[in-house]
Amino acid sequence: MMIEDPAGGRMPYAALAPVGVTPWTSHAEMQDVSFELQGRGLMSPRTQQAWNELRSTRRRLLIDLLMYDIGEFGVEAEEAVSSGAGVPPVWAGRLLDELIRFDR
């Protein structure tokens, strides 16, 4: 489940929501969002910055990661880190699958 941190201030997805951008918007679709913003007269410094942050794969993955609620996996992750296990836990693979879904 994706959550928005209310203390986090601005959120790129919220700024681009008026043109239909969500965490499930594909990477290819994200590249053309600026045309939609301009066409609707919504291009502003805020939306320009949000688009810049989300059109970069590296930056978008970081943004998605920071708003991802890992819930019950938190304890398992803490144990894996403290034990020094070399194999990533199963939940890590599922998390990565969710984070890179937009590039398919």
Side-chain angles (χ1 to χ4, degrees):
M1 174 170 84
M2 310 268 310
I3 58 173
E4 185 174 334
D5 181 4
R10 60 177 179 68
M11 193 49 130
Y13 287 111
L16 300 178
V19 292
V21 172
T22 70
W24 293 271
T25 299
S26 74
H27 186 66
E29 292 169 329
M30 187 62 71
Q31 302 309 307
D32 294 332
V33 165
S34 67
F35 300 121
E36 187 69 26
L37 289 168
Q38 291 172 7
R40 292 190 188 185
L42 297 173
M43 185 62 86
S44 67
R46 180 175 178 244
T47 56
Q48 173 73 45
Q49 182 176 355
W51 178 64
N52 285 338
E53 290 176 355
L54 292 177
R55 70 184 173 137
S56 160
T57 303
R58 183 176 226 156
R59 183 77 179 137
R60 187 171 178 183
L61 284 172
L62 178 61
I63 289 166
D64 283 1
L65 179 64
L66 294 176
M67 58 186 273
Y68 207 98
D69 179 17
I70 61 171
E72 74 274 8
F73 302 122
V75 174
E76 187 180 333
E78 200 171 296
E79 290 171 0
V81 169
S82 64
S83 71
V87 178
V90 173
W91 66 266
R94 290 195 309 260
L95 177 61
L96 286 174
D97 284 344
E98 282 294 311
L99 290 174
I100 60 176
R101 74 195 168 282
F102 64 83
D103 205 18
R104 293 184 181 152

